């Protein structure tokens, strides 16, 4: 009961933009990837989160960790932050009242992709979304030369490729083989640490 109350106080303080006092071993989790869809400024985000909340920040990802290890880390997390992707479903293992912050690459409107927001609503977590407003380096790195299922565009006619590169938002589409969607969702993204 003491551990549960400590977590609830921490959740409430964070939700109200206050610096909480912690009685237990709580942390923040950042979802990371090592090959595609990178969070470019992971280190800067971790430093900022540690400074703001005075909590340790743990990186979790499928590269080098088992699902059990990821669940164990999330079970101690008051906040989880990551770019849109299937690993965010693991935020369901945070304690009740956890906070999930989901980042979206440039041109991917957060309001169109809401499975994790709905998950948070159902299980009682708080949810926030952020979409990159920056189309170019150093904030956004696209990969048009990759294969088509990793966001590549080289298989498309020049006109279609140019239209995707110039678009400011992804048009509504059917999941999940749309070339514009794949190109944008596979971008590497630097998040705004102030906004997060």
């Amino acid at each position: 009961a003491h551990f549960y109350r400590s977590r609830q106080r921490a959740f409430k303080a964070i939700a109200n933009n206050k610096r909480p006092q912690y009685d237990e071993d709580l942390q923040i989790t950042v979802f990371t990837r090592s090959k595609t869809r990178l969070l470019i400024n992971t280190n800067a985000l971790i430093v900022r989160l540690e400074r703001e909340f005075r909590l340790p920040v743990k990186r979790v990802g499928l590269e080098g960790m088992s699902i059990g290890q990821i669940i164990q880390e999330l079970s101690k997390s008051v906040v989880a932050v990551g770019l849109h992707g299937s690993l965010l479903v693991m935020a369901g293992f945070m304690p009740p009242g956890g906070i999930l912050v989901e980042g979206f690459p440039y041109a991917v409107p957060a309001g169109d992709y809401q499975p994790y927001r709905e998950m948070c609503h159902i299980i009682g977590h708080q949810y926030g979304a952020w979409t990159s407003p920056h189309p170019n380096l150093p904030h956004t790195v696209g990969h048009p030369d990759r294969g088509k299922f990793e966001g590549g565009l080289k298989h498309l006619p020049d006109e279609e490729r140019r239209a995707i590169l110039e678009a400011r938002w992804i048009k509504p589409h059917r999941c999940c083989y749309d070339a514009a969607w794949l190109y944008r969702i596979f971008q590497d993204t630097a998040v705004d640490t102030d906004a997060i």
Side-chain angles (χ1 to χ4, degrees), residues 123-182:
I123 63 178
H125 288 353
Q126 295 181 53
Y127 174 87
W130 172 86
T131 299
S132 175
H134 305 289
N136 301 311
L137 292 169
H139 305 284
T140 297
V141 180
H143 302 282
D145 294 329
R146 287 186 177 159
K148 69 179 182 176
F149 296 114
E150 288 187 338
L153 301 175
K154 60 187 177 184
H155 65 287
L156 298 173
D158 288 345
E159 187 175 319
E160 190 175 346
R161 184 171 45 243
R162 193 169 29 259
I164 290 171
L165 292 170
E166 293 173 0
R168 297 177 73 182
W169 294 105
I170 296 172
K171 295 176 183 174
H173 60 91
R174 297 182 99 183
C175 190
C176 289
Y177 300 109
D178 179 79
W181 156 255
L182 288 169

Side-chain angles (χ1 to χ4, degrees), residues 19 22 28 30 43-59:
R19 294 178 187 261
Y22 303 103
I28 295 172
V30 174
N43 292 335
L45 175 62
I46 288 172
V47 167
R48 182 67 187 272
L49 291 169
E50 286 175 340
R51 188 177 72 225
E52 288 296 317
F53 298 109
R54 299 180 189 157
L55 279 174
V57 178
K58 300 290 179 99
R59 298 171 189 239

Side-chain angles (χ1 to χ4, degrees), residues 17-137:
N17 289 326
K18 295 181 180 173
R19 294 178 187 261
Q21 300 296 317
Y22 303 103
D23 300 332
E24 302 295 340
D25 185 24
L26 300 177
Q27 66 188 32
I28 295 172
T29 297
V30 174
F31 294 102
T32 62
R33 298 180 186 93
S34 64
K35 296 178 184 166
T36 63
R37 302 164 69 174
L38 304 178
L39 200 164
I40 295 169
N41 60 336
T42 301
N43 292 335
L45 175 62
I46 288 172
V47 167
R48 182 67 187 272
L49 291 169
E50 286 175 340
R51 188 177 72 225
E52 288 296 317
F53 298 109
R54 299 180 189 157
L55 279 174
V57 178
K58 300 290 179 99
R59 298 171 189 239
V60 300
L62 291 174
E63 297 95 348
M65 293 183 85
S66 70
I67 296 294
Q69 290 169 316
I70 293 171
I71 291 170
Q72 184 176 16
E73 294 299 336
L74 285 162
S75 71
K76 301 180 284 186
S77 296
V78 290
V79 177
V81 180
L83 294 177
H84 177 79
S86 60
L87 190 57
L88 294 189
V89 75
M90 301 299 284
F93 290 99
M94 288 191 303
I99 299 168
L100 174 63
V101 180
E102 179 178 15
F104 290 88
Y106 175 76
V108 180
D112 290 356
Y113 308 97
Q114 302 178 353
Y116 307 114
R117 186 189 75 172
E118 294 305 313
M119 176 191 76
C120 288
H121 176 75
I122 290 167
I123 63 178
H125 288 353
Q126 295 181 53
Y127 174 87
W130 172 86
T131 299
S132 175
H134 305 289
N136 301 311
L137 292 169

